[in-house]
Amino acid sequence: MKILAVAACAAVLGTGVLAYTGQSDWAEETLSMAESSGIMPYVIRNSDVSMPVTRAEFAAVAVRLYDAMSEVPAEAADHNPFSDTADRDVLKAYAAGIVNGMTETTFEPESELTREQAAAMLARVYELAGEGEAAPAYTALFADDDEISDWARDAVYFMNENGIIAGVGGNRFAPGDTASREQAVVIAQRMLERFSPGSVVTPAPEETGVPEPTEEAPSETQAAEGDMLSRIPVPDFGEITESREDSYGATIVISGATLEDFEAYSAVVSGVFPQHINNLDNSFIIRSDGEYEINVNYSNGSITVTLEPADQ
């Protein structure tokens, strides 16, 4: 198996090469805007965006939206109250007050997000970012108003009245319906444009992966702070089942991999970080200029890739 050259180049340069699939024509421009705005998380940027968004994935979107709208970025909770997830973005969203658990000890990260849950999370982002109270005017009610949960009702109408989340037709909101990944990113980008217009950026041009002759190519270790995931080459095999990053580094887990995939992927990684290589059985460690260390491990059909500062 070979890794796509453009994906490897994107990982090195920290560019905005879009790796998602399944996008709708109507969403394409807004998705590009969200990529440029920095509110599209890695886990969605490298997925089929037509699929339903999970609670953990939307928490990652909401945290990035909060960071874009707030003067103080979200920080992870010191204590993890959940027994079913240790996702860094979930813990940031929980600590900031953007999300709640489904119970006192569970978050249900893989559960599909409902439209009213999305509205509630966005309303919390709006209030926590200091924009004011998410208080709707209730100028008109949806035909299925009685199906909207009491805890989400203000948020649903506020988001609808401000053009963030539209109805589904027939004057219905469909609060219990699921949202797709692209819909989740689109409504977050709409909110950023509506309430923080100064943060909106022009969509990035299509990235070829090759700098113009007049540009100075970034170094292999250069990337925006807090975006270490972009330095890990994206595979074109298996499925990324876990991705996370924090101040200590970044990790992805690729399931459905073979030993052949591991060997080919290690070869790609060695081209990205070509110095100080230690090649062990089913483990591949590289130090790049003594600044970063990338570790590729293969076990039981899964590849775990970790990138962290070399002095840790």
Side-chain angles (χ1 to χ4, degrees), residues 54-57 59 82-85 90 93-94 99-111 121:
T54 67
R55 282 171 49 79
E57 289 167 346
F82 305 121
S83 60
D84 57 353
T85 185
V90 169
Y94 173 76
V99 302
N100 297 313
M102 297 300 287
T103 70
E104 290 186 358
T105 58
T106 61
F107 183 76
E108 298 184 13
E110 300 305 316
S111 293
M121 287 189 194

Side-chain angles (χ1 to χ4, degrees), residues 282-304:
N282 296 353
S283 184
F284 194 78
I285 304 173
I286 299 174
R287 289 181 181 271
S288 177
D289 296 328
E291 185 176 358
Y292 291 99
E293 178 175 293
I294 184 167
N295 191 334
V296 184
N297 288 287
Y298 175 78
S299 177
N300 298 323
S302 293
I303 295 175
T304 301

Side-chain angles (χ1 to χ4, degrees), residues 11 13 20 25 28 78 96 101 105 110 124 130 165 174 176 193 224 227 229-230 235 271 283-285 296 303 312:
L13 302 181
Y20 52 77
D25 291 342
E28 202 155 4
D78 294 332
T105 58
E110 300 305 316
R124 293 186 196 117
I165 305 179
E193 294 176 9
D227 192 25
L229 278 170
S230 70
S283 184
F284 194 78
I285 304 173
V296 184
I303 295 175
Q312 290 197 21

